[in-house]
């Protein structure tokens, strides 16, 4: 049995959106209940990395900015996480694919219902929808302003 099979990992996608903040708090509460570890995952992609849509961007700058943003979000949102192991991961790639990959061997994947992009009128964002369909573990989709009982599990 490897280390990932022994620990109870709760993976949570973070992107700075209000739903992401709710998902992060939900994941921490759940990890506390099960004695697990929270693995906060932020994905970023470079504009123009595929196709010709934008000029080239310094990849190191974007990775550093994404890492700082994740650390700031975790610090701001999780001041009460004492006793909960928390790991941060900033990964370059499509957010849905990054989270689906991170879900392998996890106890649970927690995502917000809507991220920062797309159409705000939709009830479910494309990333959360892809995670619900393709993740390797159960998925909890958290809406902003929900209580623990209102969060939906996929």
């Amino acid at each position: 049995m490897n280390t990932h099979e022994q620990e109870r990992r709760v993976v949570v996608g973070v992107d700075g959106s209000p739903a992401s903040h709710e998902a992060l708090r939900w994941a921490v509460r759940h990890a506390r209940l099960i004695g697990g570890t929270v693995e906060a995952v932020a994905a970023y992609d470079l504009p123009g990395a595929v196709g010709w849509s934008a000029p080239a961007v310094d990849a190191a700058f974007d990775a550093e900015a994404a890492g700082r943003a994740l650390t700031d979000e975790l610090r701001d949102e999780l001041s009460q996480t004492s006793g909960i192991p928390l790991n941060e991961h900033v990964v370059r790639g499509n957010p849905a694919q990054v989270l689906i990959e991170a879900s392998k061997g996890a106890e649970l994947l927690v995502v917000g219902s809507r991220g920062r992009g797309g159409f705000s009128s939709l009830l479910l964002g494309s990333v959360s929808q892809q995670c619900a369909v393709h993740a390797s573990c159960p998925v909890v989709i958290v809406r902003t302003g929900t209580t623990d009982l209102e969060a939906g599990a996929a």
Side-chain angles (χ1 to χ4, degrees):
M1 187 179 272
N2 70 31
T3 305
H4 283 293
E5 291 172 344
Q6 294 175 343
E7 63 186 31
R8 299 183 80 181
R9 291 185 311 121
V10 178
V11 176
V12 59
V14 290
D15 68 0
S17 68
S20 167
H21 295 168
E22 294 284 344
L24 187 56
R25 289 189 292 268
W26 197 99
V28 167
R29 286 191 303 270
H30 184 74
R32 184 173 282 126
L33 288 173
I34 66 168
T37 298
V38 172
E39 190 170 308
V41 178
Y44 74 98
D45 219 345
L46 300 176
V50 177
W52 297 94
S53 62
V57 179
D58 179 9
F61 174 79
D62 284 337
E64 290 171 14
R68 281 192 307 273
L70 176 60
T71 299
D72 291 346
E73 181 176 351
L74 294 175
R75 185 184 60 241
D76 292 345
E77 290 297 322
L78 302 178
S79 58
Q80 72 281 6
T81 60
S82 61
I84 302 296
L86 180 67
N87 299 311
E88 303 173 28
H89 301 281
V90 178
V91 181
R92 179 178 172 191
N94 174 283
Q97 293 171 345
V98 167
L99 290 171
I100 290 165
E101 182 64 27
S103 75
K104 292 178 179 173
E107 175 100 3
L108 194 65
L109 172 61
V110 184
V111 294
S113 59
R114 298 280 322 133
R116 297 187 320 174
F119 301 98
S120 59
S121 63
L122 295 176
L123 295 176
L124 191 62
S126 62
V127 172
S128 52
Q129 183 176 16
Q130 289 296 309
C131 288
V133 173
H134 298 291
S136 298
C137 65
V139 178
V140 172
I141 300 172
V142 180
R143 295 182 303 153
T144 55
T146 60
T147 64
D148 286 346
L149 296 176
E150 294 173 326

